[in-house]
Amino acid sequence: MEAEEYIIVFGLILIVAFFLFPSETISGTFCEGDYGKLSNYDVSVQNGFLKVYLKGEEIFTAKGERIFVRKADIKYSISDECYEVSIREKPEKALYLFVVGIILIGIAFYYIAFLRYR
């Protein structure tokens, strides 16, 4: 195998590692009037509504068992007017594995297609 092929294989290994990297679960309990952070997420409970924001954008809204907005996979349960929220996400370093894998494969294909046989 030549160097470019090793780079492509290494890039594929990094991409597969991203998918095998375990997700982490962050959770917390929020009652009426509470506001807090779970990692990068802002969570608040007001007027019985559970609202979750990511970077200023509302990604989840629920009241009791009824869900109004669901842009992310967020699990919650309600008891005694308090919500227990659980969010699963990949750690940020896992995303770097994926991005570096894509970049390596792109560089190898660019080299093979445009530079190697000139």
Side-chain angles (χ1 to χ4, degrees), residues 20 30 37 49 51 56 59-62 67 72 75 80-81 91 99-100 107-108 116:
L20 296 178
F30 300 89
K37 290 186 81 62
F49 285 92
K51 294 187 178 192
I59 60 167
F60 188 83
T61 302
I67 298 172
K75 306 275 190 244
D80 299 327
E81 297 183 19
V99 170
V100 169
I107 289 170
R116 184 174 186 192

Side-chain angles (χ1 to χ4, degrees), residues 14 17-18 21 90-102:
L14 289 177
F18 165 77
F21 207 89
K90 292 274 187 189
E92 192 171 309
K93 57 186 163 187
L95 180 61
Y96 292 129
L97 291 174
F98 185 81
V99 170
V100 169
I102 294 293

Side-chain angles (χ1 to χ4, degrees), residues 27-73:
S27 61
T29 302
F30 300 89
C31 297
E32 182 66 36
D34 284 351
Y35 175 84
K37 290 186 81 62
L38 289 176
S39 183
N40 296 328
Y41 299 90
D42 295 317
V43 181
S44 68
V45 178
Q46 293 186 355
N47 300 325
F49 285 92
L50 168 67
K51 294 187 178 192
V52 181
Y53 298 89
L54 178 63
K55 298 179 183 173
E57 180 185 355
E58 185 175 349
I59 60 167
F60 188 83
T61 302
K63 183 172 186 177
E65 297 297 321
R66 191 161 177 212
I67 298 172
F68 297 101
V69 176
R70 176 179 237 141
K71 295 182 183 175
D73 186 27

Side-chain angles (χ1 to χ4, degrees), residues 61 88 110 114:
T61 302
R88 289 184 51 130
Y110 178 80
F114 298 108

